[in-house]
Amino acid sequence: MEFLHNFFLILVPTLILVLFWCKITKPQRGFLVDFACYKPQKNQQICRQTFIDKTNKGLNPKKDTLEFMDRILQRAGLGDKTYVSKGLLKEPPDMSAKAAKEEVEMAIFGAIDELFLKSIGVKCEDVGILITVCGVYNIMPTLSSVIVKRYNLRHDIRTYNVTGMGCTAGLLALGLVQNLLKVHGNSYALLVTTDSITENVYKGNDRSKLLSNCIFRVGAVALLLSNKPSDRNISKYELIHVVRSQTSNDDRSYNCIFMEEDIEGHRGITINKDLLYVAMKTIRSNIFSVAPLVLPISEKFRYLTNLIVQRFRMKSNVKPYNPDFSKTVDHFFPHVGGKPVLDDLQKKLGFSDEQMEASRMTLYRFGNTSTCSVWYEVAYAEAKGRVKKGDTLWQIAFGSGFKCSSVIWRATRSINRNEINPWCDEIHEFPVDVSQIEEVPDLFVASE
């Protein structure tokens, strides 16, 4: 009896200490308090014909180059109300560093101002972490310094700048936010992502570099994240998983999207015919990592069995099994890389037209806004009143490198469709029928 008495005297305090240690070392949970997508001014809208006319006057391209761009615009999936920068609407176009700075600052300040307007009770001085994402626009001092100065953020704020990482960088940066929130308790993190099209217009006639001129448009998004337990009830989403993949060690992947000069010395972003092949290869690698995290046991078993059969070639005619994510994922938001990419993604992964609606409508209304596009898609679903408490959201973006990132969210509350939103004043006009848009023949190598 004395032995048992002594044993419990030791055991009970030990268990209490273990439980206490587990509690204080439990990773901080990340919540998305709110986000805001920038909607440019109406006088920045541009239709296909106006775009072609201004390109002809401002860049003086060859006749066949102009005809090629016109064909791309007719088939890329963009509507006639996307936005370009004010500099590109001038005659002649202003592609100076000053015009690019104006474009970027209008976008990020517009998004941040709206975000703090929506995030009642959170002040600028409450933000302890700031991350900016901008793919091809790089300045000195950094974009984060511009924001710190504009909003008079605190002197001890932790700032980071992510550049040159393609259209997946916005989701990739969420992995950085997630890690920072794990080690810095009771913190707010501000993530701002945008890009500049003004300084990066291609002025030559190389067809592989003309796609970026045709599909990229103005956009920005600002996100406010928190790890404060008290913010759970007022936040929109809880950050569940961030999964990254890349295939940069493969030559086709590495050279698929590349910034370089043409033979005349004009700098541009080459997008070659391997895009669809490389994209699906990298996306499948990413999905392989995402599947065990979100799929039910039945789907995991089917998926694993198929992989084993393919790996050991038990049956040569067995096709890759595409898991049914609809059983656990309520909303799917793929990056709007362009209509051919969305078509191939839907075909290979078996997503329904309804699941692809937000991405197709975002491409049609706002164009490819690079790292921001997946957030215009979430805003679309919110404006439609489709996001309910407990829903699982999957964002997936891909870009140069080649890289792919997935982020899984869970809605902590049902979203009011009447909240401030870039779609709210026109959501009744969507969806529009884009099924009749023709494909661009021989633009890409068929994916596997």
Side-chain angles (χ1 to χ4, degrees), residues 7-209:
F7 176 76
F8 280 109
L9 283 177
I10 297 173
L11 178 64
V12 173
T14 301
L15 288 175
I16 292 174
L17 287 173
V18 169
L19 291 173
F20 178 73
W21 182 83
C22 291
K23 183 177 181 179
I24 63 174
T25 58
K26 183 179 179 180
Q28 300 287 336
R29 302 168 73 183
F31 301 101
L32 178 63
V33 179
D34 215 328
F35 70 97
C37 295
Y38 173 65
K39 189 172 185 177
Q41 299 171 4
K42 193 171 183 179
N43 59 10
Q44 291 178 243
Q45 290 182 353
I46 193 166
C47 66
R48 178 179 62 85
Q49 191 57 53
T50 302
F51 185 91
I52 291 297
D53 291 344
K54 287 190 173 294
T55 299
N56 189 29
K57 292 179 182 178
L59 302 181
N60 193 28
K62 294 179 180 179
K63 182 179 179 181
D64 61 340
T65 296
L66 202 64
E67 291 174 350
F68 174 75
M69 292 182 70
D70 194 26
R71 290 200 304 274
I72 293 296
L73 285 167
Q74 291 182 52
R75 296 165 172 80
L78 280 71
D80 282 336
K81 292 184 178 181
T82 59
Y83 302 93
V84 296
S85 64
K86 289 185 175 182
L88 298 182
L89 291 171
K90 295 180 179 178
E91 293 186 6
D94 183 358
M95 292 174 273
S96 65
K98 181 180 179 181
K101 181 174 182 288
E102 180 185 12
E103 173 201 352
V104 170
E105 290 188 352
M106 282 183 63
I108 61 175
F109 295 160
I112 296 173
D113 288 348
E114 182 179 311
L115 176 63
F116 280 112
L117 179 66
K118 296 168 69 175
S119 305
I120 300 173
V122 181
K123 301 176 182 178
C124 293
E125 55 265 30
D126 295 331
V127 177
I129 299 168
L130 170 64
I131 300 174
T132 61
V133 177
C134 199
V136 292
Y137 178 73
N138 193 12
I139 60 172
M140 184 67 68
T142 60
L143 200 56
S144 63
S145 297
V146 172
I147 295 173
V148 169
K149 184 177 186 302
R150 164 83 176 199
Y151 293 93
N152 195 27
L153 302 183
R154 46 202 265 191
H155 73 279
D156 62 342
I157 190 170
R158 298 171 179 86
T159 60
Y160 304 84
N161 292 274
V162 179
T163 63
M165 300 197 72
C167 297
T168 186
L171 295 188
L172 184 150
L174 278 167
L176 175 58
V177 174
Q178 185 183 48
N179 289 333
L180 289 169
L181 290 179
K182 286 179 180 179
V183 296
H184 299 292
N186 293 313
S187 296
Y188 284 110
L190 175 62
L191 172 59
V192 184
T193 174
T194 188
D195 226 316
S196 170
I197 61 175
T198 301
E199 272 190 323
N200 296 285
V201 173
Y202 173 62
K203 306 175 183 68
N205 293 280
D206 184 343
R207 291 191 176 188
S208 67
K209 296 177 176 61

Side-chain angles (χ1 to χ4, degrees), residues 428-444:
H428 59 280
E429 301 174 13
F430 295 91
V432 298
D433 185 11
V434 294
S435 61
Q436 301 305 313
I437 298 176
E438 299 179 17
E439 295 184 359
V440 185
D442 303 323
L443 187 61
F444 300 112

Side-chain angles (χ1 to χ4, degrees), residues 368-385:
N368 184 340
T369 55
S370 187
T371 59
C372 317
S373 68
V374 290
W375 290 105
Y376 286 87
E377 296 174 54
V378 176
Y380 179 89
E382 290 185 353
K384 283 290 186 181

Side-chain angles (χ1 to χ4, degrees), residues 165-168 244-258 270-272 274-285 335 337 341 397-405:
M165 300 197 72
C167 297
T168 186
R244 298 172 55 186
S245 304
Q246 66 172 306
T247 54
S248 301
N249 57 344
D250 177 77
D251 287 344
R252 293 178 73 177
S253 296
Y254 182 75
N255 295 309
C256 176
I257 301 176
F258 213 90
T270 298
I271 302 176
N272 68 34
D274 286 331
L275 176 63
L276 293 184
Y277 168 82
V278 168
M280 289 308 303
K281 176 183 177 181
T282 313
I283 290 169
R284 285 191 181 280
S285 174
H335 167 57
V341 178
F398 32 88
S400 60
F402 205 84
K403 298 182 288 293
C404 181
S405 298

Side-chain angles (χ1 to χ4, degrees), residues 340-381:
V341 178
L342 291 178
D343 289 345
D344 203 61
L345 188 64
Q346 181 176 12
K347 178 182 177 182
K348 294 297 189 298
L349 299 183
F351 292 112
S352 67
D353 290 338
E354 184 178 352
Q355 288 173 307
M356 300 295 293
E357 182 183 315
S359 55
R360 293 192 186 281
M361 293 306 101
T362 296
L363 177 63
Y364 181 85
R365 180 62 184 86
F366 292 97
N368 184 340
T369 55
S370 187
T371 59
C372 317
S373 68
V374 290
W375 290 105
Y376 286 87
E377 296 174 54
V378 176
Y380 179 89

